[in-house]
Amino acid sequence: MSRKLVHGTPIASWPVRLLKAVVLTVFCAAVIIPFLGVVSTSLAPAEQISRAGGLVLLPESISTDAYQSIFAGGLVTRAIGVSTFVTVVGTLLSLTVSSLLGYALSRPAFVAGRPFLLIVLISMLFSPGIIPTYLLVRGVGLIDSLWALILPTMVSAFNVVVLRAFFAGLPRELIESARVDGAGELRIFTSIVLPLSKAVLAVIGLFYAVGYWNAFFNALLYINDTTLWPLQLVLRTYVINDTQLGAAELGVEHLPPQAAIQMAILVISIVPILIVYPFLQRHFAKGVLTGAVKG
């Protein structure tokens, strides 16, 4: 049975609400406890990690030896710089190209709009495959180049479609009035369309940034030089595959426990997205749903 509040909103009985609270608590614990274990292990002293067998839920004291080793200038430090460069430059290039393409496809006056839109849609259904893509990247001389981590995935067809749908839903009167005043397409795009599209650009930018930051497969294919490895490839090689990180790779003399180093790398790979996401969360519903519904 349920009862109603003064305003008529149905409220479930207390056993149902208690069950929901228990279920929600269990799911929250399933997410929080592993993350807490990762952070705690990265900060725990070596003795406690040895006693616990490699995973610590609550550290007895705080030790930053693992993070000091990571930032000592070795392999992981270079990988953080590579991932930061690829993410920042790749996101800016992807947003620029995708927004320009989406705006062009949204204009009814664009003569070749339908053929180009068809090409974009076809690319969502058929991928070129690993071997042809590798041969193309090698043919243009991008092996062991950071651009191999950016250019092959610079434009996402899905993101272009979302941007096109958003741009097509903007008031046509604004664009027409600007054109009457003598503004060209580039001026209209930069002065009118982009300021009105901050929400969708923030969301698409986050999509691109997360993709670049978390990508490792392109590096696995195209990067042979370990000094150009991004952080995610280091994470895959030395954490997921449980390969030992030596003093030579980290550039230090005394190594903390491998578990602490691995968990510290994992924390560093997660923290940037956790920092950026709350600032862009409020744009998600407006940015993505507007583009999707109007498309």
Side-chain angles (χ1 to χ4, degrees):
M1 297 295 291
S2 64
R3 58 187 180 85
K4 291 187 177 182
L5 293 178
V6 177
H7 298 289
T9 303
I11 300 296
S13 59
W14 71 266
V16 176
R17 284 181 290 171
L18 180 61
L19 178 61
K20 291 180 179 179
V22 171
V23 172
L24 182 61
T25 302
V26 170
F27 278 104
C28 290
V31 175
I32 294 174
I33 291 177
F35 182 74
L36 178 63
V38 169
V39 176
S40 299
T41 303
S42 68
L43 294 173
E47 299 79 9
Q48 186 180 6
I49 295 175
S50 300
R51 291 198 309 269
L55 184 62
V56 176
L57 287 181
L58 291 176
E60 297 173 350
S61 61
I62 302 299
S63 173
T64 59
D65 291 344
Y67 292 95
Q68 291 177 6
S69 300
I70 287 175
F71 291 107
L75 175 65
V76 181
T77 306
R78 292 193 299 268
I80 294 173
V82 169
S83 290
T84 302
F85 173 83
V86 170
T87 301
V88 173
V89 175
T91 301
L92 291 176
L93 289 176
S94 295
L95 267 181
T96 301
V97 175
S98 298
S99 58
L100 287 171
L101 179 58
Y103 176 71
L105 295 177
S106 68
R107 296 301 91 199
F110 184 35
V111 179
R114 288 188 176 274
F116 274 98
L117 180 59
L118 183 61
I119 293 174
V120 171
L121 295 176
I122 289 176
S123 68
M124 296 177 64
L125 303 176
F126 304 99
S127 62
I130 296 176
I131 295 177
T133 304
Y134 178 84
L135 293 176
L136 177 62
V137 171
R138 188 182 67 177
V140 297
L142 292 181
I143 298 297
D144 278 338
S145 169
L146 293 182
W147 293 108
L149 307 180
I150 297 175
L151 297 181
T153 57
M154 188 171 66
V155 179
S156 167
F158 172 80
N159 293 338
V160 171
V161 171
V162 172
L163 286 168
R164 172 190 173 274
F166 188 90
F167 293 150
L170 294 177
R172 189 171 299 180
E173 294 79 6
L174 287 175
I175 298 176
E176 294 298 332
S177 62
R179 189 173 288 113
V180 170
D181 291 337
E185 290 295 340
L186 185 59
R187 180 65 181 276
I188 293 173
F189 177 72
T190 56
S191 301
I192 297 177
V193 174
L194 289 184
L196 295 175
S197 309
K198 292 180 180 178
V200 69
L201 290 176
V203 174
I204 298 301
L206 181 62
F207 287 167
Y208 277 125
V210 172
Y212 282 119
W213 182 261
N214 290 333
F216 75 92
F217 191 65
N218 281 356
L220 190 64
L221 291 177
Y222 310 134
I223 304 298
N224 301 315
D225 186 358
T226 57
T227 62
L228 298 177
W229 278 11
L231 182 61
Q232 299 302 328
L233 187 54
V234 174
L235 180 69
R236 178 186 182 274
T237 303
Y238 292 102
V239 178
I240 297 178
N241 291 345
D242 200 23
T243 304
Q244 296 291 313
L245 264 168
E249 287 85 0
L250 292 175
V252 296
E253 296 181 0
H254 303 289
L255 279 178
Q258 285 292 320
I261 297 175
Q262 293 174 346
M263 295 303 104
I265 297 174
L266 188 56
V267 169
I268 293 173
S269 69
I270 296 173
V271 165
I273 302 302
L274 292 180
I275 294 175
V276 173
Y277 180 80
F279 294 99
L280 302 179
Q281 183 182 14
R282 60 191 179 93
H283 296 298
F284 265 71
K286 182 179 179 181
V288 176
L289 293 181
T290 301
V293 172
K294 291 188 177 181

